[in-house]
Amino acid sequence: MIPIIIDCDPGQDDAVALLLAFASPQELEVVGVTTVAGNVALELTAENARKICELAGRSDVKVFAGCPRPTVRPLRTAEHVHGKTGLDGADLPAPTMKLQDEHAVDFIIATLLGHEDGVTLCPTGPLTNIAVAMVKEPRILPKISGIVLMGGAIGAGNTTPAAEFNIHTDPHAAETVFTAGVKLTMLGLDVTHQALTTPERLAAIRAIGTPVAAAVAGMLAFSGKRNAERFGLAGAPLHDPCVIAYLLAPDLFAGREVHVAIETASELNMGRTVVDWWGSTDRPANATVIDRIDADGFFALLTERLARL
Ligand code: RIB
Ligand code: CA
């Protein structure tokens, strides 16, 4: 049983990551869900996380609101991808479960300091909360079992030619996290653009026939449309659930331990993850960068788990 904190900005794909985690209680203990401004504003990401908890029948899960904006740069949200609500494509009721009073950063700190055997952090949005927790309380660093994050890219970005959305939104936070010396696994666009929600895969999810499956199919159809058209892909890349699937079935993935630096000076390349894939420098590896996935195996796992909710 791996204790995890999911730090997210739901966002349809974050929502599916949450559901995959909730559907896997034998392997994952979701100690808490922290939310951050990213795809949409914090108020909405905090509300959406609770909508998904209740959709999964998990109103027992503690949900916390974190930072309402990046550490240095202004917040730029992505309603054009995720819709006004951030969860367009599913018509979910307003949550009845309450948001925790404690700030997400304080929850992350308290949980890490209080957990004997360490906790794995699973950021699927901008890294603002994680970085602020590290700066506020450096004693948490040795208590982090690992960070498995969705973000960055070896190749082209999706927000600028150089940068992926999560890292581009808060590159300074990403630099703090990538230089913290913590065990880091980066699932970037190179791997998530192989996890395509094709019509067949979407149909298999819809065929589960439950309210959860209907909501997932609706959300992925909505967010997928623009993604697939824009990138000319057979379906929308399913980014954030790759983080949870990596914890559940690491053998579905492959990658390499390399050095990753974050661009925070050049406006042109702001937020780029500079991945030393071919060992061109003598910089020591600070991350395992994943570049391959068994996409059929991933969707089989996702579909099987969603059917349990
Ligand atoms: O670039 C994709 C990432 O940005 C995903 O986490 C998506 O939810 C958005 O946060
Ligand atoms: Ca996200």
Side-chain angles (χ1 to χ4, degrees):
M1 178 88 87
I2 307 171
I4 65 173
I5 293 174
I6 301 176
D7 185 74
C8 55
D9 62 335
Q12 290 87 350
D13 58 326
D14 303 74
V16 180
L18 287 169
L19 292 168
L20 179 56
F22 294 149
S24 310
Q26 305 297 323
E27 297 97 333
L28 304 174
E29 177 196 5
V30 181
V31 177
V33 173
T34 51
T35 58
V36 67
N39 286 322
V40 287
L42 176 67
E43 194 182 339
L44 273 177
T45 59
E47 179 177 295
N48 290 341
R50 285 176 289 150
K51 284 184 176 180
I52 297 302
C53 287
E54 292 189 337
L55 174 67
R58 292 300 309 274
S59 55
D60 60 297
V61 172
K62 290 187 170 54
V63 177
F64 301 81
C67 297
R69 49 147 296 184
T71 48
V72 175
R73 292 169 69 83
L75 174 64
R76 286 177 50 195
T77 50
E79 283 84 355
H80 57 289
V81 176
H82 299 275
K84 212 162 44 60
T85 70
L87 289 185
D88 283 28
D91 184 14
L92 300 173
T96 54
M97 65 186 279
K98 81 176 193 61
L99 189 61
Q100 298 298 307
D101 295 334
E102 190 178 15
H103 192 285
V105 168
D106 295 327
F107 168 74
I108 291 168
I109 292 169
T111 302
L112 286 167
L113 292 181
H115 240 270
E116 265 320 293
D117 308 328
V119 175
T120 298
L121 303 180
C122 301
T124 61
L127 292 166
T128 315
N129 289 339
I130 310 300
V132 171
M134 289 179 168
V135 169
K136 180 172 183 181
E137 184 44 88
R139 286 185 300 142
I140 65 173
L141 294 180
K143 308 288 279 183
I144 300 173
S145 303
I147 297 178
V148 182
L149 67 89
M150 192 279 140
I154 302 166
N158 63 357
T159 301
T160 70
E164 176 277 328
F165 179 82
N166 288 336
I167 310 299
H168 182 262
T169 299
D170 197 339
H172 302 88
E175 183 173 60
T176 299
V177 173
F178 276 77
T179 56
V182 171
K183 183 171 178 284
L184 201 52
T185 304
M186 172 182 133
L187 291 107
L189 298 178
D190 320 277
V191 65
T192 65
H193 274 224
Q194 298 172 47
L196 301 180
T197 317
T198 61
E200 298 74 23
R201 289 165 175 165
L202 198 53
I205 291 172
R206 201 183 294 280
I208 296 169
T210 59
V212 167
V216 169
M219 286 191 287
L220 295 186
F222 177 86
S223 61
K225 193 168 174 309
R226 182 186 180 283
N227 261 314
E229 283 161 4
R230 178 177 173 210
F231 297 109
L233 298 168
L238 194 45
H239 304 290
D240 296 339
C242 288
V243 167
I244 305 302
Y246 179 81
L247 289 172
L248 293 173
D251 294 347
L252 292 176
F253 299 86
R256 191 183 292 186
E257 294 200 15
V258 291
H259 185 271
V260 181
I262 310 294
E263 176 62 71
T264 56
S266 147
E267 195 52 47
L268 180 64
N269 288 301
M270 183 59 71
R272 178 160 190 68
T273 46
V274 180
V275 180
D276 188 3
W277 192 250
W278 299 111
S280 316
T281 75
D282 55 2
R283 297 184 195 128
N286 60 340
T288 298
V289 174
I290 302 298
D291 69 320
R292 270 158 295 148
I293 183 175
D294 167 357
D296 286 334
F298 167 67
F299 277 94
L301 172 68
L302 176 63
T303 306
E304 185 270 324
R305 292 296 164 104
L306 289 175
R308 299 185 184 185
L309 291 175

